[in-house]
Structures are given as C-alpha cells and as structure tokens.
Amino acid sequence: MRSYRYKELVPRHQKRVTLEEVARIAGVSRATVSRVVNGVASVDESIRRTVEKAISTTGYLPNLAARSLVTRRADAVALVLPSEDRIVGDPFFTRIVRGVSGVLSPLGVHLVLMTTSADTGDQVVADLRQGRLDGVILVHTYRADPLPNRLVRGRQPVVLSARPADPIPITYVDVNQTAGGALAAEHLVARGCHRVATITGSLDRPPGHDRLAGFCSAMARLGQPGVICVEGDFTRQSGAAAMRRLITAHPEVDGVFIASDLMAEGALPVLREHGRRVPDDVAVVGFDDSSAALSCDPPLTTVRQPVEDMAAEMARQLLKQVDQIDTPIRSVIFEPSLVIRQSA
Amino acid sequence: MRSYRYKELVPRHQKRVTLEEVARIAGVSRATVSRVVNGVASVDESIRRTVEKAISTTGYLPNLAARSLVTRRADAVALVLPSEDRIVGDPFFTRIVRGVSGVLSPLGVHLVLMTTSADTGDQVVADLRQGRLDGVILVHTYRADPLPNRLVRGRQPVVLSARPADPIPITYVDVNQTAGGALAAEHLVARGCHRVATITGSLDRPPGHDRLAGFCSAMARLGQPGVICVEGDFTRQSGAAAMRRLITAHPEVDGVFIASDLMAEGALPVLREHGRRVPDDVAVVGFDDSSAALSCDPPLTTVRQPVEDMAAEMARQLLKQVDQIDTPIRSVIFEPSLVIRQSA
DNA sequence: TTGTAGGCGTTATCAG
DNA sequence: CTGATAACGCCTACAA
C-alpha cells in the first residue's frame, strides 16, 4: 500500500527555521508571527516590523506540509492531458500549459502534470482525497471517460477544456466552435470559392462535430449546400491522408476548410504534390491559429482560438471552485476570430 | 507574504477517514494500522487481515500532508522547462515528460511542471525549502543560469538534461553528442557525398557545440576536412533560414547534417523550393529521431537520441539523490544510433 | 508483536 | 491586539 522507497529514508539535514524560532527571536508568540506571515491586519505596526525583521534575518519560510495539514489546501492542481501519443508535437497543449500556469504560478499553486493511462482516474481521485490536489483540469477527455462524472459526483473541483460529449453538470471553457466553422465558410465564399470541401476532426468529439456543423450550416445559408466532407482525427498525418483522398476523389475543389492547423500542415504539401497552388487553385482555411499556422507554406489563414486565454479562464474557474465549494456551474464560451494570412 | 486567497477559506466537508477511526474499527492502535499501511513486516497475519478489512470498508487513505510533515518528503519533483516560446511544438519536451513520468507516476511521485521566468529560480528554491518539492530536473538551462549552482551549493537533489556549459559538480544525463555527429559524418561519406555541409544548433550550448565538433572531426578523419557550416538555433524557422543561406552560398552541396530534426523539417521544403531532390541531389541527416523526422518529406534519416530512456534515467538519478543525500555525482551518457530512412 | 505517547510546524479558538 | 492551547493526521522511538 505504500512506496517501498520509504524504508531507506535518510534524514535530510536542513536546519529548518520554524515559527517557534522566529517567535523567540522577535520576542512574541508563535501566533503573532503566524499572523504577520499571513498578513492579518490586526497586528500592531511596531510588532509587525520586529517580526518581519526576525523573519528576514532567519530566512524563515513556512512549512507547507504543516500548513496544508490544517488549512486542508494542497495549493496544487492537476492538469490531465490525453495519453501522450496525440500530444506529441501538438502546440495546443503547450498553449494550455502556458495559459494555466500564467495564473497559477503567481499564486504559488503548483501545476501537476498527468497524462491519462489506465489508472489516472483512480490516481486523481486518490490524490484529491489525500489532500495532495485541490482540483483538476481535464483536457480533451475521451467520450466515454468516467472521470468527469466521478469528480462531479464527488463534488470535487473540476473544469473541462471543452463541452463534454454527454451533457453532465460540469464547468467547461470552450470556444464557440460552430461560430468558428461559420467564419471559415464565410471567408471561403467571400473569396469566390464554388467547390468547397472540409477536412474534419474526430467527429465523435464535440469540437470536431461542432466545427463541421457550423461550417456546413453556414455554407447552406450562403447558398452552397452539399459540402464535400472528409474525416480526419486532428493529427498532421490524418490531414495529409484526408487531403490525398479528397484531391483524388474531387479534383475540382477550390476551397477547403481544415478543422485544425496541424492537419492543414499535413495537407498543404499534398496539395503541392498534386500541382495545386495555394491559394490560387485551392484556398485553405485552418483552425486554431497555433504556431503550426505560421510554419505552413504559405502561412495559414485560420480561425483563431484564444487558447491561452481559455486556459487561464479554466484555471480561474477551478480556483473559484476550490475556494468555495458548490460554486455554481458556469461555463465560459470564447468567440473565435478569423486571422487572414496567405492561404485563403 | 501569503496568498490572499487564504482569507476566504471555506471548509470542505469531506469526512476524512483517519488512522484513528480505522484503528477503532479494527480494535487495534493507530500504530498498528500505520504499520499495516506502510507494509511493516512485523505484524501478526491475522491482525493485518483485520486491519486491511477495516481499511477497505472505510476506504481509508492516508493524509499526505500529515505524512509529509513527519517524513519530510513531498513526493513531488519539479520539471523545469525553458521559457515556453522555444518549447512550442518541439516534440523533445513531450518525450522528456513521457520518460520522466514513466518512472515517477508508478511511485506516486508528482511531476510539477514549471517554465523558466524571472523568478523560477527563487520559486524552486523556496519550494524545496518549504518541503513542497523533493528535487528538481532542469531541462536545457541557459548558459548563465545561476540555478544549477545554487542548488548544488544548497545540496539539493538536482539533475540536468545535458552537460552544463560550465563544469560544475552536478549530475546530468546526456547522449554522446560528438559520437552522434560522427555517425552522421560517416553515413554521408559512406553514401559518397563530397560537398558536405552542416546546419548547427546554438553553438553556445554544449549539444550544439558538441554535435558540430563530432561531425567535423569525423569528416576530417574521413579525409574531408573543411566542412561548410551554417549556424541555426534548433528551431524549425532557423533551419529554413540556414538552409536558404547555405544553398545560396554553396549551391554545390550534396550532403547536409542538420543538428536537429526540427531544423531539418524547416530546411527540407527550402531544398525543394530550390529544385533539389532529397536524397538524390542532396542527402540530409537529422538529429534526434523525434516525431518530426517522420513528418518530414521524405522521412528523415537521423541520429537517434533515446530521449525517453534518458528522461527516465534523470528521474531515477533524482530519486536516488532524494533518498540518500550526498549521493555521489554520477552522470550517465547514452549512445546515439543512426536511423536510416529515406533522406540519406 | 503491540500499544503509548510525543512530536512534526501551522493555524485557529478563545481568553485576557 | 496578543498569547496560551488545542487541533490537524501521521510516524516512531520506547516500553510493555
């Protein structure tokens, strides 16, 4: 039941400075030092100064395990990413990390990185119950993942990175995916494309599904129903494969909405292989505005998703739940925007 | 001195199960339960079973803050990555995470992700002293980073991901970079290349420097001194830019060693732009064997660096230091190998 | 082998 | 406003 490493425990000889010691030096009680440390207002100004001097001369830092024991806060949250095969090389996750730690780190809250495996669910639940974690941010959970529900039922602080496939009462942060799809449609049509296709993401996941839905209904609204549609799975490879199928089956296409920049990055070289110039022969619009959009040749016109902001919002929503149990569920939807570069 | 969030602390109503309670139910003392939980051998078999039953019926899980308070272990280590601009889209870091958490996660040790900023150094040192962190893995520290030295002087567990620029007594895990450069040289020469060039990484960092050194001295040994050399900085963009300069200044090159797959990924399209076929006109060898090598067109022949294994080793070395202070410094060097695909 | 009791370093309650 | 004093939950000599 316990780590075997434990046996060989060897004492570390750091002479820790304790509240006790600071108190002795300042000539006050531990309680007073604690008040100063925690910035409690009701402390006499001169005493506060004395204590602060004692703190800085001793280099005192509070032991967080002891504090955690009584406050019941770990000051740590987990970021759970999908199993790592998919995350390799996808800039999306780096942006998530950046956004999340942007709000966590100034607050001194640790970001514990986990990747899903057979037992991450149990692990996370255990960590929460053991007081090592205050809450969880779940990124791209798969459709049948029982973890979100489990956490909700356990009334544990949790935030999802996107609308869950099945409607459960949980806080999530998302971009307006359908609006994003519509932006792409409007741009392609405005550009004069008449044979329009789309390479979708995984359709069993809400983002993939919604981007497609938004794209198609906007195309219909704009007088071009019957969009050609090839399915990918958000990876670069799938983008290339999908484009190969598309261009073979429908050599006449003159505009493609590709549901992620990463897929677009895979698809563009395929267009070139087949002698198509972008955007002259085929206009291409991506989705994400990730760093991949800039590595594309030509630079990708794409639907921007403010991932860093969204991630920051996830962190804030989570902390809110941590601070106050039973915070009402309030999901936040960001609006996408179109970033016009050279591919369309 | 303290997070302001503290004030609004609201009690969380999880009825925690404590040792005390399990003990009462099992009809033994707390000490005995503790022994069972920690797998101490000297516990009567029947009592152990009774206790285990009590544990499972109550769903007891030890409070780790309390444990940490007495064991002085946080069971958490930090992974410090370079500031995020560079890490975006570089598969190297995902591989590091995978390798590290592969050994940490089964042991229940948390991986706390940090990215370098102005005060990460202070943050890390404080976390260590506050007992929130047991050790630190530093990935790609910049040359003048004072943190490694600071940690060494403080006798804190720390491992670097590569040989430090300045020789300090610190444990690091690295690949034999010069041997890697040599592998590339040998392959290009064996292939019959006569006008060989290299696009280097950042030369102020040991990996960049050593790969170049290994490559050049091997070329000289093989009878082709005077290698053409263009400097990059390990990013995809720099790879493209370097190749542009190279092909313009030396249109006669027929073989290039590019010091990272990511740079190669940027460089290959440039070769194509200039009408060069790979490998027929120009043979290209990369370095890393990252996922980028496979996304290249054609798939990249490259010097493989076993990053996952190296990362796992970093974790193990770190834990060793955590378990036993003053573990002798013992760096581990992995051997590279050549993965032959289609670019050379 | 088991139980008793003290301590780990903080925060929090409640007199003074 | 300040100081005792009691938790917080667990580990660990030491004694039985």
Side-chain angles (χ1 to χ4, degrees):
Chain A
M1 184 141 190
R2 180 66 198 295
S3 153
Y4 33 91
R5 291 193 302 110
Y6 179 64
K7 291 291 183 28
E8 336 157 12
L9 200 156
V10 171
R12 238 157 221 300
H13 286 313
Q14 313 179 43
K15 31 183 162 182
R16 303 209 189 197
V17 184
T18 70
L19 263 192
E20 180 73 45
E21 194 166 337
V22 176
R24 224 189 45 227
I25 294 179
V28 297
S29 72
R30 297 196 312 253
T32 299
V33 178
S34 175
R35 291 186 192 105
V36 171
V37 169
N38 292 302
V40 172
S42 66
V43 175
D44 182 84
E45 219 14 63
S46 75
I47 291 193
R48 149 165 286 129
R49 266 194 295 275
T50 315
V51 172
E52 275 166 352
K53 183 167 303 178
I55 288 178
S56 70
T57 66
T58 55
Y60 167 79
L61 285 176
N63 177 310
L64 294 184
R67 174 181 284 171
S68 177
L69 184 55
V70 37
T71 62
R72 291 162 171 285
R73 285 287 184 288
D75 279 318
V77 304
L79 179 70
V80 180
L81 299 180
S83 54
E84 309 161 77
D85 289 8
R86 250 176 46 210
I87 114 173
V88 166
D90 192 334
F92 182 79
F93 298 99
T94 348
R95 295 175 73 190
I96 293 270
V97 169
R98 171 160 29 192
V100 168
S101 62
V103 2
L104 257 32
S105 146
L107 295 174
V109 176
H110 274 177
L111 177 61
V112 177
L113 190 63
M114 300 183 157
T115 47
T116 51
S117 67
D119 67 336
T120 23
D122 299 329
Q123 194 53 254
V124 164
V125 171
D127 282 337
L128 248 10
R129 291 196 29 197
Q130 307 208 101
R132 295 180 89 186
L133 244 34
D134 293 329
V136 187
I137 295 177
L138 255 30
V139 178
H140 288 185
T141 55
Y142 57 97
R143 186 188 193 84
D145 193 344
L147 188 52
N149 242 315
R150 215 170 142 192
L151 294 172
V152 167
R153 277 202 307 273
R155 306 175 73 210
Q156 297 287 3
V158 55
V159 173
L160 297 192
S161 68
R163 177 171 70 78
D166 300 313
I168 59 177
I170 198 168
T171 292
Y172 63 84
V173 173
D174 208 344
V175 72
N176 188 335
Q177 309 274 8
T178 57
L183 281 178
E186 285 155 14
H187 186 68
L188 289 173
V189 169
R191 228 183 169 281
C193 296
H194 283 292
R195 308 285 185 175
V196 174
T198 179
I199 293 177
T200 76
S202 317
L203 292 179
D204 60 338
R205 290 201 291 133
H209 175 270
D210 295 352
R211 285 171 202 178
L212 173 63
F215 182 72
C216 288
S217 68
M219 286 302 293
R221 179 163 43 79
L222 295 168
Q224 298 194 33
V227 165
I228 304 161
C229 168
V230 184
E231 186 174 355
D233 65 5
F234 287 125
T235 64
R236 192 175 306 166
Q237 292 84 339
S238 81
M243 181 55 89
R244 229 178 291 278
R245 274 178 286 148
L246 173 61
I247 206 71
T248 306
H250 299 274
E252 77 279 10
V253 293
D254 62 357
V256 186
F257 166 48
I258 305 182
S260 83
D261 290 351
L262 211 57
M263 289 196 294
E265 200 179 29
L268 286 180
V270 174
L271 280 174
R272 199 161 31 221
E273 272 172 32
H274 287 259
R276 305 298 200 287
R277 288 164 308 162
V278 175
D280 308 292
D281 301 328
V282 181
V284 174
V285 175
F287 199 111
D288 277 343
D289 191 29
S290 73
S291 63
L294 286 169
S295 330
C296 283
D297 177 24
L300 204 63
T301 290
T302 187
V303 177
R304 174 172 178 73
Q305 193 179 178
V307 179
E308 286 86 350
D309 295 342
M310 293 163 66
E313 184 62 28
M314 289 199 282
R316 277 188 292 265
Q317 291 290 336
L318 186 67
L319 292 182
K320 200 176 290 181
Q321 293 182 41
V322 171
D323 272 345
Q324 186 182 338
I325 198 173
D326 290 326
T327 301
I329 292 168
R330 211 178 76 72
S331 295
V332 182
I333 312 296
F334 283 71
E335 284 307 312
S337 56
L338 189 69
V339 177
I340 299 179
R341 296 209 179 83
Q342 291 160 46
S343 69
Chain B
M1 183 138 190
R2 180 64 198 296
S3 153
Y4 32 92
R5 289 193 304 114
Y6 180 65
K7 289 292 181 31
E8 335 157 15
L9 200 155
V10 171
R12 232 154 226 301
H13 285 315
Q14 314 178 42
K15 30 181 162 180
R16 303 209 189 195
V17 184
T18 69
L19 264 192
E20 180 72 46
E21 195 165 336
V22 176
R24 224 190 43 229
I25 293 179
V28 297
S29 71
R30 298 196 312 253
T32 299
V33 178
S34 175
R35 290 187 192 105
V36 171
V37 168
N38 292 302
V40 172
S42 66
V43 175
D44 183 84
E45 223 7 70
S46 74
I47 292 193
R48 149 165 287 130
R49 268 194 295 274
T50 315
V51 172
E52 275 167 352
K53 183 168 300 175
I55 288 178
S56 71
T57 66
T58 55
Y60 168 79
L61 285 177
N63 177 311
L64 294 183
R67 175 181 282 171
S68 176
L69 185 54
V70 34
T71 63
R72 293 163 171 283
R73 285 287 185 288
D75 279 318
V77 304
L79 180 69
V80 181
L81 299 180
S83 53
E84 307 162 79
D85 288 8
R86 248 175 48 208
I87 115 172
V88 167
D90 191 336
F92 182 80
F93 298 99
T94 352
R95 296 176 73 190
I96 293 271
V97 169
R98 171 159 29 190
V100 168
S101 60
V103 0
L104 257 32
S105 147
L107 295 174
V109 177
H110 274 177
L111 177 61
V112 177
L113 191 62
M114 300 184 155
T115 46
T116 50
S117 69
D119 67 337
T120 23
D122 298 331
Q123 194 54 254
V124 163
V125 171
D127 282 337
L128 248 10
R129 290 195 28 194
Q130 306 207 99
R132 295 180 87 186
L133 245 34
D134 294 329
V136 187
I137 296 176
L138 256 29
V139 178
H140 287 183
T141 55
Y142 56 97
R143 186 189 193 83
D145 193 343
L147 187 52
N149 242 314
R150 215 169 141 192
L151 293 173
V152 167
R153 275 202 308 272
R155 306 174 74 210
Q156 297 286 4
V158 55
V159 173
L160 297 191
S161 68
R163 177 171 70 78
D166 298 314
I168 59 177
I170 200 169
T171 292
Y172 64 85
V173 172
D174 207 343
V175 71
N176 188 334
Q177 310 274 8
T178 56
L183 282 177
E186 286 154 15
H187 185 68
L188 289 174
V189 168
R191 228 183 168 283
C193 296
H194 283 293
R195 307 287 185 174
V196 174
T198 179
I199 293 177
T200 76
S202 316
L203 292 180
D204 60 338
R205 290 201 292 133
H209 176 271
D210 295 352
R211 287 172 200 177
L212 173 61
F215 182 72
C216 288
S217 67
M219 286 302 292
R221 181 162 41 79
L222 296 167
Q224 297 196 33
V227 165
I228 302 160
C229 167
V230 185
E231 186 173 357
D233 65 5
F234 288 125
T235 65
R236 193 175 303 163
Q237 292 85 338
S238 80
M243 183 55 89
R244 230 177 292 279
R245 273 178 286 147
L246 174 60
I247 206 70
T248 306
H250 299 276
E252 76 280 11
V253 292
D254 61 358
V256 186
F257 166 47
I258 305 183
S260 83
D261 291 351
L262 210 58
M263 288 197 294
E265 201 179 30
L268 286 180
V270 174
L271 279 174
R272 201 162 30 221
E273 271 174 32
H274 287 259
R276 302 301 199 286
R277 290 164 307 163
V278 174
D280 309 293
D281 300 328
V282 180
V284 174
V285 175
F287 200 109
D288 276 345
D289 192 29
S290 74
S291 63
L294 285 170
S295 331
C296 283
D297 178 23
L300 202 64
T301 290
T302 188
V303 176
R304 173 169 179 76
Q305 193 179 176
V307 179
E308 287 85 349
D309 295 342
M310 292 163 65
E313 184 63 28
M314 288 198 282
R316 278 189 290 266
Q317 291 289 335
L318 186 67
L319 292 183
K320 198 176 292 183
Q321 292 182 42
V322 171
D323 272 346
Q324 184 181 340
I325 197 173
D326 289 327
T327 300
I329 293 168
R330 209 178 76 73
S331 297
V332 181
I333 312 297
F334 283 72
E335 282 307 311
S337 57
L338 189 70
V339 177
I340 299 180
R341 296 208 180 84
Q342 290 161 46
S343 70

